[in-house]
């Protein structure tokens, strides 16, 4: 099997697959209010396109495919897509990233169809605040979605909260307690300057150190560092002693872990993005809809992976990435 190894020796084994640009929330750090998705059905990868692209990636060593979006549960046929992907030989891990507003309805079917685990975004437990951050979300429904995912047997379940000074930083402790009570994991995310929405958040930015100080004050002597696995990505994680919960910070800005990056991203429109913080991309939609053979498309992918940048440029050149929105990229 040809493995996907870039010119810096990093083996690519993880594909983040966005299945839609649409979202039922409008989180103010993620998407610009005026820039609504503007794509026709034929612009979006079909089931057949997705199946072929993922099969080609699997034949080159990709084993993990995360379903993301926009909000992936808004994509018609999401359970069918999960099944198509999870039954491709070589794919062993199919996590979901969701805002969980609709998860209560979908959790069982998705789990039956191969979604083994889930990351669920929840930035506040206070209903009014949650509604403000997401511009319309209902936190009660999200909590029902978390409970449904637990009951369906997805494991592990992680909640993700973007930590923002003056917005929700006073909930770091209560979000940790909530995760402990549910027996699930929690990660705090540093706000990233992606798109105008993300750049606008920089006045609320909390660094990894700011967030970790608060976690340590809340749990003195109760944290055991976890040994980072090669595939952890940009997170430093701790076990909270005598609980079933791990806590961590995803610090793609303060600390970059680009030297161990094992992932690429595919947008709903079929653009293969080689780095979250760089512009490089190629269209795999055009490739699968042309007469190219599997071998020719694999060569295109290998050539693209060879151009994967060494590192992102969040700190040096924000303008470079300001024309992409997180809602289009999938996180
Ligand atoms: N809608 C799903 C959700 O919210 O989980 C999946 C897509 S969302 C783009 C994926 C992740 O990106 C979420 O955890 C969200 O909090 C995170 N995200 C969005 N904008 C961000 C930003 N500017 N900085 C850091 N994380 C961001
Ligand atoms: Fe939608 Fe997720 Fe972005 Fe919020 S973070 S607007 S839920 S895609």
């Amino acid at each position: 099997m040809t493995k996907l190894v870039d010119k810096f020796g990093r083996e690519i084994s993880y594909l983040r697959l966005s299945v839609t640009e649409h979202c039922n929330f409008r989180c103010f750090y993620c998407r610009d209010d005026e820039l609504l998705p503007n794509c026709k059905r034929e612009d979006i990868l079909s089931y057949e396109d997705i199946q072929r692209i993922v099969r080609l990636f699997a034949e080159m060593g990709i084993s993990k495919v995360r379903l993301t979006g926009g909000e992936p549960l808004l994509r018609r046929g999401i359970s069918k897509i999960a099944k198509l992907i999870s039954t491709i030989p070589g794919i062993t891990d199919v996590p979901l990233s969701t805002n969980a507003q609709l998860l209560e309805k979908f959790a069982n079917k998705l789990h039956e169809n191969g979604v083994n685990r889930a990351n669920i975004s929840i930035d506040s437990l206070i209903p009014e605040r949650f509604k403000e951050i997401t511009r319309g979300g209902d936190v009660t429904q999200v909590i029902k979605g978390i409970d449904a995912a637990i009951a369906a047997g997805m494991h592990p379940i992680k909640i993700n909260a973007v930590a923002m000074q003056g917005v929700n930083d006073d909930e770091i402790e209560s979000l940790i307690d909530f995760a402990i009570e549910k027996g699930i994991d929690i990660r705090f995310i540093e706000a990233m300057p992606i798109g105008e929405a993300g750049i606008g958040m920089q006045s609320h930015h909390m660094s990894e150190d700011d967030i970790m100080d608060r976690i340590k004050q809340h749990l003195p002597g109760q944290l055991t560092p976890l040994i980072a696995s090669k595939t952890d990505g940009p997170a430093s994680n701790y076990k909270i002693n005598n609980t079933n919960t791990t806590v961590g910070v995803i610090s793609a800005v303060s600390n970059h872990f680009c030297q161990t990056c094992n992932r690429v991203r595919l947008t709903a429109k079929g653009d293969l993005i080689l780095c979250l913080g760089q512009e490089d991309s190629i269209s795999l939609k055009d490739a699968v809809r042309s007469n190219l053979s599997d071998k020719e498309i694999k060569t295109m992918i290998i050539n693209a992976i060879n151009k994967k940048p060494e590192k992102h440029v969040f700190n040096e050149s924000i303008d470079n990435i300001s024309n992409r929105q997180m809602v289009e990229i999938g996180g």
Side-chain angles (χ1 to χ4, degrees):
M1 185 206 297
T2 322
K3 290 236 169 189
L4 287 173
V5 180
D6 74 3
K7 65 174 188 279
F8 303 100
R10 296 171 296 191
E11 191 175 319
I12 309 302
S13 56
Y14 174 18
L15 177 68
R16 294 182 64 101
L17 175 71
S18 172
V19 292
T20 179
E21 290 185 351
H22 289 277
C23 190
N24 39 1
F25 289 179
R26 291 177 296 131
C27 302
F28 58 63
Y29 50 76
C30 175
R31 58 187 275 197
D32 305 343
D33 219 8
E34 286 110 55
L35 279 178
L36 293 174
N38 166 30
C39 51
K40 301 185 214 84
R41 197 160 168 202
E42 62 268 23
D43 293 338
I44 296 298
L45 293 179
S46 65
Y47 301 149
E48 293 75 22
D49 296 334
I50 290 175
Q51 191 176 29
R52 183 168 177 212
I53 293 172
V54 175
R55 175 177 59 74
L56 296 177
F57 271 108
E59 287 169 7
M60 293 188 285
I62 292 271
S63 55
K64 168 174 169 183
V65 180
R66 177 177 297 280
L67 300 174
T68 181
E71 174 46 42
L73 302 187
L74 289 183
R75 172 73 191 252
R76 193 174 299 170
I78 183 65
S79 302
K80 177 174 170 177
I81 292 175
K83 180 124 199 186
L84 287 177
I85 290 172
S86 65
T87 50
I88 290 173
I91 301 298
T92 53
D93 191 10
V94 185
L96 169 74
S97 283
T98 177
N99 64 31
Q101 188 78 18
L102 301 172
L103 192 56
E104 188 184 19
K105 178 172 159 210
F106 284 102
N108 266 326
K109 189 76 187 159
L110 284 170
H111 187 246
E112 274 168 29
N113 284 5
V115 174
N116 48 323
R117 58 198 180 98
N119 286 4
I120 297 173
S121 298
I122 179 166
D123 299 323
S124 172
L125 295 166
I126 303 168
E128 278 315 307
R129 182 183 283 175
F130 185 85
K131 200 172 197 169
E132 261 173 49
I133 296 173
T134 57
R135 294 185 281 207
D138 173 3
V139 73
T140 316
Q141 202 49 45
V142 172
I143 295 171
K144 285 185 187 163
I146 294 172
D147 290 337
I150 297 170
M154 290 187 191
H155 183 80
I157 293 171
K158 248 178 234 165
I159 53 175
N160 283 332
V162 179
M164 296 167 280
Q165 192 76 52
V167 176
N168 65 349
D169 59 302
D170 56 340
E171 287 191 74
I172 289 179
E173 295 78 9
S174 49
L175 282 161
I176 294 173
D177 294 345
F178 172 80
I180 294 174
E181 186 198 311
K182 297 280 178 197
I184 59 181
D185 298 324
I186 178 160
R187 298 291 177 270
F188 292 96
I189 309 179
E190 275 187 276
M192 288 181 256
I194 306 251
E196 294 298 335
I199 291 171
M201 286 311 299
Q202 292 312 291
S203 54
H204 298 286
H205 186 77
M206 289 186 80
S207 69
E208 177 183 17
D209 287 349
D210 298 336
I211 303 168
M212 269 322 301
D213 284 350
R214 292 282 298 279
I215 297 173
K216 285 179 181 158
Q217 273 171 33
H218 185 53
L219 300 164
Q222 295 175 64
L223 297 175
T224 305
L226 293 173
I227 299 177
S229 86
K230 244 180 120 186
T231 56
D232 266 353
S236 28
N237 301 325
Y238 297 81
K239 170 99 174 108
I240 305 176
N241 299 343
N242 306 316
T243 71
N244 291 321
T245 297
T246 65
V247 61
V249 181
I250 300 177
S251 59
V253 183
S254 306
N255 250 316
H256 70 66
F257 289 76
C258 302
Q259 67 278 11
T260 56
C261 181
N262 63 344
R263 62 199 65 189
V264 287
R265 295 169 164 84
L266 188 64
T267 67
K269 287 183 183 147
D271 292 326
L272 182 69
I273 296 180
L274 300 161
C275 171
L276 183 58
Q278 294 268 17
E279 294 235 294
D280 313 60
S281 68
I282 60 160
S283 173
L284 287 184
K285 181 183 72 191
D286 293 348
V288 289
R289 293 187 187 174
S290 65
N291 290 327
L292 293 179
S293 66
D294 284 359
K295 194 167 168 218
E296 287 166 319
I297 298 174
K298 281 184 181 173
T299 303
M300 267 183 78
I301 294 174
I302 292 167
N303 290 341
I305 298 290
N306 257 320
K307 295 199 181 111
K308 186 171 162 66
E310 185 179 8
K311 57 182 183 161
H312 65 59
V313 288
F314 293 150
N315 300 326
E316 295 109 44
S317 127
I318 273 173
D319 285 349
N320 199 20
I321 45 176
S322 61
N323 57 358
R324 267 199 209 131
Q325 298 199 85
M326 203 66 144
V327 69
E328 295 164 319
I329 313 173

